[in-house]
Every structure is written in structure tokens, then in C-alpha cells.
Amino acid sequence: MFFILLTLIVQIGFLILARSAAATSLEAALRRAVVAETEVAVVQSALSRDVLAVVPGAEDLTVAVTGDETSLRGVVTFRWVPPGPDFIPVTVSIERSVVRVVPP
């Protein structure tokens, strides 16, 4: 029983790290895209590649980036498969938005 509890606690820690890494990648991609005025399709493909690189165990990745003249919004959703036994399926969804930089 103790080892199952210990494994669960370790997996929760890894989940927090995976979510944090994906959120950081999303925010960085949106900020780069706003400053460089990059196409939405390019941002989506680069973000997919980044999230898969920094989040081991990410499966069924969905990336959606939308924008208008004032802001850019991104949503990343993936199923995270932890190392070791898979107790419960975990779906992580992260949403961020960044305001476009406009000259004064």
C-alpha cells in the first residue's frame, strides 16, 4: 500500500512538471508570434513540436491558435501518460492569450 501511495505522489509531481512545461512553451510561442507577426499555421506546428519535445508522455496533442488584430489566443490539450503504472487517464488543457504589441 505504501509503494502505491508513493508512486501516486511521484506521478502527481511529474504531472505538475508536465503541465508547467507545456504552459511555458505555449506562452513563449504566443509571445514570439506576437512580436514577429508570424502566421498562425507556423505557430501551431512549432508549438506542437515544442510541446512534444518538452513533455515526455504527451499523447493525442491538439493545438489551436486563433488571433485578431488585438490579441492572440492559444489552447493546448493533450493526454499525459505517466512513467510507470497508469492509474487514471489524465487530460491536460492549457489556455493562454497575449495582447498584440502596437506602436504608440
Side-chain angles (χ1 to χ4, degrees), residues 7-87:
T7 304
L8 185 62
I9 290 170
V10 168
Q11 285 186 358
I12 290 171
F14 279 132
L15 174 63
I16 292 169
L17 289 173
R19 185 186 181 288
S20 176
T24 302
S25 294
L26 174 59
E27 192 164 337
L30 291 178
R31 288 181 187 273
R32 280 192 308 264
V34 164
V35 171
E37 297 184 11
T38 312
E39 298 270 334
V40 172
V42 174
V43 174
Q44 285 180 338
S45 64
L47 184 56
S48 298
R49 187 183 64 245
D50 289 348
V51 170
L52 289 175
V54 299
V55 181
E59 296 178 349
D60 303 330
L61 179 67
T62 305
V63 176
V65 177
T66 58
D68 56 14
E69 56 276 347
T70 60
S71 66
L72 196 63
R73 180 177 172 266
V75 178
V76 173
T77 305
F78 59 91
R79 182 177 182 279
W80 185 69
V81 179
D86 191 5
F87 291 121

